[in-house]
Amino acid sequence: MSYVIKGETGDWEVVIGLEVHCQVISNAKLFSGAATDFGAEPNTQVSLVDAAMPGMLPVINQECVKQAIKTGLGLKAEINTKSVFARKNYFYADLPQGYQISQFEEPIVGEGSIILDLPDGTSREVGIERLHLEQDAGKSLHDQDPKRTFIDLNRTGVALMEIVSKPDMRSPDDAGAYLRKLRSIVRYLETCDGNMDQGSMRCDVNVSVRPAGSDELRTRAETKNVNSVRFVMQAIEHEAARQVEVYENGGEVVQETRLFDAQTGTTRSMRSKEHAHDYRYFPDPDLLPLVFDQALVDDIKAGLPELPDERKDRYINDFGLSPYDAGVLVAEKDTAAYFEAVADGHDAKMAANWVINNIFAVLSDKGVGISECPVTAENLGKLLGLISDDTVSTKIAKEVFEIMIETGDDPEKIVEEKGLKQITDTGAIEAAVDEAIANGAAQVEQYKAGNEKVLGWFVGQVMKATQGKANPGQVNKLLKEKLGG
Amino acid sequence: MSLDKDTVKNIAYLARIRVDEAQLEPLAGELSSILDWIEQLQELDTDGVEPMASVAAMDLPQRKDVVTDGNCQTAVLKNAPDGEDGFYTVPKVVE
């Protein structure tokens, strides 16, 4: 499924690389002892180190190092037991140091890969170029005052992992799948909460275009700080179309930083000064190289949880689920746990169908996450049990499910109270069948004349007479015996 | 290696240091002689010699992940020329 932009001069393809900044989950900041909690009063989580007072020295937080290693392992990447912190120099009001401590030539994590689960059920691999640790900047509020910008340094110095992909993506769908998978992995690992709307995961999008089938890499434009999966996909669509137009009008794409406008779904040039990219990196003289033993890496590796890809394989191999269904269920850790609780002791395929078709509909209806689902996994499991042992038909089960959504009740109790138990007593069904046949002389004629579709009419009559509680299999069997005889 | 006036001007701009036009030429000369000296150092054969990050033979000190600092809004804002409601305020930064 390739993504092609139809230009006037021919077909074009898009080349995409993403740089994702993930805020590391830790109590304290990367180089200071100040707290990292989101939403605190302005400048209350700022130490003299974060405020860049003269003479303050950075001391690295070992937990942030471990989180970066853990994430690197989750991306099947090589871990560098020696890495170096460098200063990236630029001036901005929310960067009191005048430089960001980052990693440049020697990052903590090298090349890795990530597997995308695409909307059509197929998978493809995208390369990871590197992951490095760096400081976050503070927050600028531009809309508080007509003449002034307000600065909050609470976020200053919080650890970020910048994860850089290779330019391996070829469509907005690829980019969307990449972000979703990356978010899923960091959430499984508990190294980043992955909340794009709170800014704890932010994305810079690099886009270039080229004639379809070519393997050149043309000049790219970078769109900064796009804060949702949908916006990233929109930004790529718009940016690719814009670049095709530039080339087809005889122009050249310039390497620049662009801004995404969520209102219009378009990107625009930041008209940044020509100097903007001259960061003059050099090794930070305040920090020695970060060196650790391979034993630390092995230790963290041994403690890794089951990751989404492995879990997906397990669902396919052990439960016989389709790759698509398995991918959908493992994407969120909580959903996977819910599904496994439902499937425990029941048919896994049936459990998967109920979770994907019914539970997801309820959640999107109510606009809640799986943790607030009105139907508990235990109760859904019980409902599946009632279907499996023929206590209720699938049709009645759907009715019971509707009640469960409203009341959160135990399905066994609902079936008991509402008298929804399926009729499997042959005598009772036979009576209803006989009655239907007696009332439908015309239909009996049609059936005998070879119109088998009319059987549905009889089934309907029997179901009506039994309030839908007759076992459909038995009804069909009896009807065929009696009519065919 | 020698630096020209424009390069010096650019470096000064990047460092946000105001340099008078008349000073650019002399500065170019001074900076060039520093670079010449570095060039002289590069004549040394350092093949197979590990880069030295520090004169002290020690590892990078590390901290435990414990909140030990912060919560000193008044102190961090004390030297700010302007502020409001716990924020620093600066002349509007327009993007």
Side-chain angles (χ1 to χ4, degrees):
Chain A
M1 205 172 54
S2 65
Y3 180 80
V4 171
I5 300 144
K6 299 264 176 215
E8 277 168 28
T9 58
D11 287 351
W12 296 77
E13 65 181 24
V14 58
V15 178
I16 306 154
L18 298 179
E19 293 168 20
V20 180
H21 292 87
C22 291
Q23 237 173 44
V24 174
I25 295 177
S26 63
N27 298 319
K29 294 183 179 180
L30 180 56
F31 294 114
S32 89
T36 59
D37 302 325
F38 181 80
E41 287 296 304
N43 293 309
T44 54
Q45 296 180 164
V46 181
S47 76
L48 299 181
V49 178
D50 308 316
M53 291 297 166
M56 295 297 115
L57 287 171
V59 183
I60 197 164
N61 179 344
Q62 59 188 29
E63 175 66 12
C64 298
V65 174
K66 286 182 190 161
Q67 293 284 59
I69 296 171
K70 201 170 169 188
T71 308
L73 291 170
L75 298 171
K76 318 283 181 228
E78 67 184 286
I79 308 298
N80 298 321
T81 52
K82 181 189 170 209
S83 62
V84 173
F85 286 99
R87 291 184 180 180
K88 177 180 180 176
N89 300 278
Y90 67 95
F91 286 98
Y92 202 76
D94 57 24
L95 185 81
Q97 285 167 160
Y99 56 85
Q100 175 192 32
I101 305 179
S102 180
Q103 298 189 301
F104 187 53
E105 284 175 333
E106 298 181 63
I108 184 167
V109 176
E111 292 185 328
S113 67
I114 192 164
I115 294 168
L116 310 190
D117 303 311
L118 297 168
D120 64 359
T122 59
S123 296
R124 63 177 294 233
E125 193 174 304
V126 165
I128 298 289
E129 176 71 34
R130 60 187 282 162
L131 174 156
H132 64 253
L133 275 170
E134 62 184 24
Q135 297 175 302
D136 206 343
K139 237 179 210 163
S140 297
L141 290 85
H142 301 291
D143 53 2
Q144 305 290 307
D145 186 284
K147 290 209 173 104
R148 296 177 301 170
T149 293
F150 283 43
I151 309 285
D152 175 11
L153 299 183
N154 280 347
R155 206 178 62 183
T156 304
V158 170
L160 292 179
M161 300 180 283
E162 177 171 332
I163 300 166
V164 183
S165 82
K166 292 190 181 286
D168 285 353
M169 286 164 270
R170 295 289 175 271
S171 70
D173 276 343
D174 281 359
Y178 175 89
L179 281 174
R180 279 192 289 266
K181 189 46 141 330
L182 184 58
R183 187 169 60 188
S184 175
I185 290 172
V186 294
R187 282 181 173 166
Y188 268 67
L189 292 169
E190 293 174 0
T191 55
C192 167
D193 68 26
N195 294 335
M196 290 188 86
D197 52 351
Q198 285 185 357
S200 43
M201 196 169 146
R202 308 192 283 274
C203 186
D204 298 343
V205 187
N206 286 295
V207 171
S208 67
V209 295
R210 64 189 178 195
S214 142
D215 58 7
E216 64 178 323
L217 283 177
R218 294 198 176 188
T219 305
R220 64 191 160 85
E222 180 181 26
T223 306
K224 285 261 187 209
N225 274 335
V226 192
N227 60 6
S228 84
V229 173
R230 192 165 56 90
F231 289 160
V232 166
M233 293 169 70
Q234 268 180 17
I236 292 167
E237 236 170 86
H238 175 267
E239 185 53 25
R242 182 191 72 86
Q243 290 184 14
V244 166
E245 205 180 304
V246 169
Y247 284 124
E248 292 199 329
N249 288 333
E252 283 293 322
V253 169
V254 288
Q255 182 157 356
E256 62 174 348
T257 303
R258 300 180 67 85
L259 273 183
F260 178 71
D261 182 342
Q263 302 286 315
T264 58
T266 60
T267 66
R268 63 187 155 85
S269 177
M270 277 177 80
R271 313 220 176 278
S272 38
K273 300 180 185 85
E274 56 192 295
H275 302 285
H277 285 286
D278 200 344
Y279 292 128
R280 294 149 296 141
Y281 283 97
F282 62 89
D284 192 318
D286 287 342
L287 290 158
L288 289 164
L290 171 62
V291 180
F292 46 82
D293 292 334
Q294 181 60 34
L296 176 69
V297 181
D298 296 341
D299 233 38
I300 293 171
K301 196 170 191 172
L304 283 185
E306 183 183 45
L307 288 166
D309 289 329
E310 295 151 16
R311 185 166 285 181
K312 182 181 169 190
D313 287 344
R314 180 161 66 82
Y315 286 6
I316 294 170
N317 297 329
D318 295 2
F319 295 154
L321 301 190
S322 71
Y324 178 81
D325 285 357
V328 167
L329 290 171
V330 304
E332 294 288 340
K333 200 160 79 166
D334 292 348
T335 311
Y338 183 95
F339 160 71
E340 289 193 25
V342 175
D344 186 25
H346 300 105
D347 180 65
K349 269 191 186 168
M350 192 165 145
N353 284 335
W354 272 84
V355 172
I356 293 170
N357 297 326
N358 301 311
I359 294 292
F360 283 4
V362 172
L363 298 181
S364 83
D365 230 38
K366 300 201 179 277
V368 297
I370 194 93
S371 57
E372 296 134 284
C373 182
V375 179
T376 65
E378 192 196 350
N379 281 342
L380 183 57
K382 279 187 183 172
L383 183 63
L384 300 193
L386 294 175
I387 299 170
S388 303
D389 67 13
D390 277 338
T391 306
V392 296
S393 65
T394 310
K395 191 162 166 285
I396 293 286
K398 294 241 161 87
E399 286 176 30
V400 175
F401 184 70
E402 291 300 320
I403 300 170
M404 291 165 73
I405 297 167
E406 294 312 315
T407 63
D409 267 353
D410 183 324
E412 288 168 5
K413 186 178 148 223
I414 295 169
V415 168
E416 199 60 45
E417 281 179 6
K418 308 244 169 198
L420 294 172
K421 224 172 184 170
Q422 180 162 252
I423 301 168
T424 48
D425 167 20
T426 315
I429 295 175
E430 201 169 354
V433 166
D434 286 342
E435 197 191 329
I437 291 173
N439 289 340
Q443 283 78 4
V444 173
E445 284 310 310
Q446 287 174 29
Y447 185 82
K448 293 209 161 142
N451 181 1
E452 292 195 0
K453 277 188 197 155
V454 82
L455 193 70
W457 182 84
F458 288 105
V459 175
Q461 294 298 306
V462 174
M463 286 303 180
K464 216 170 169 184
T466 59
Q467 288 103 46
K469 291 183 288 186
N471 178 299
Q474 278 178 298
V475 173
N476 269 300
K477 190 165 157 270
L478 272 170
L479 274 170
K480 277 186 185 159
E481 274 172 22
K482 297 206 177 244
L483 288 168
Chain B
M1 195 178 152
S2 74
L3 293 177
D4 60 20
K5 253 173 72 175
D6 283 344
T7 308
V8 176
K9 205 171 170 176
N10 187 36
I11 293 169
Y13 172 77
L14 288 170
R16 299 297 190 275
I17 296 171
R18 188 183 297 130
V19 179
D20 290 340
E21 190 68 24
Q23 273 195 294
L24 289 174
E25 201 64 68
L27 263 177
E30 284 175 38
L31 289 171
S32 296
S33 56
I34 292 172
L35 288 175
D36 287 343
W37 180 70
I38 300 288
E39 231 159 63
Q40 198 186 335
L41 282 179
Q42 283 183 337
E43 285 169 20
L44 271 174
D45 180 8
T46 55
D47 280 356
V49 180
E50 272 283 296
M52 187 177 72
S54 162
V55 289
M58 60 181 286
D59 292 331
L60 177 68
Q62 302 197 11
R63 246 174 346 101
K64 287 205 167 18
D65 185 29
V66 180
V67 176
T68 55
D69 207 345
N71 229 340
C72 50
Q73 195 195 50
T74 322
V76 294
L77 290 170
K78 204 169 177 182
N79 296 316
D82 191 21
E84 195 175 315
D85 291 339
F87 289 95
Y88 293 91
T89 58
V90 298
K92 192 136 200 148
V93 184
V94 184
E95 271 177 359

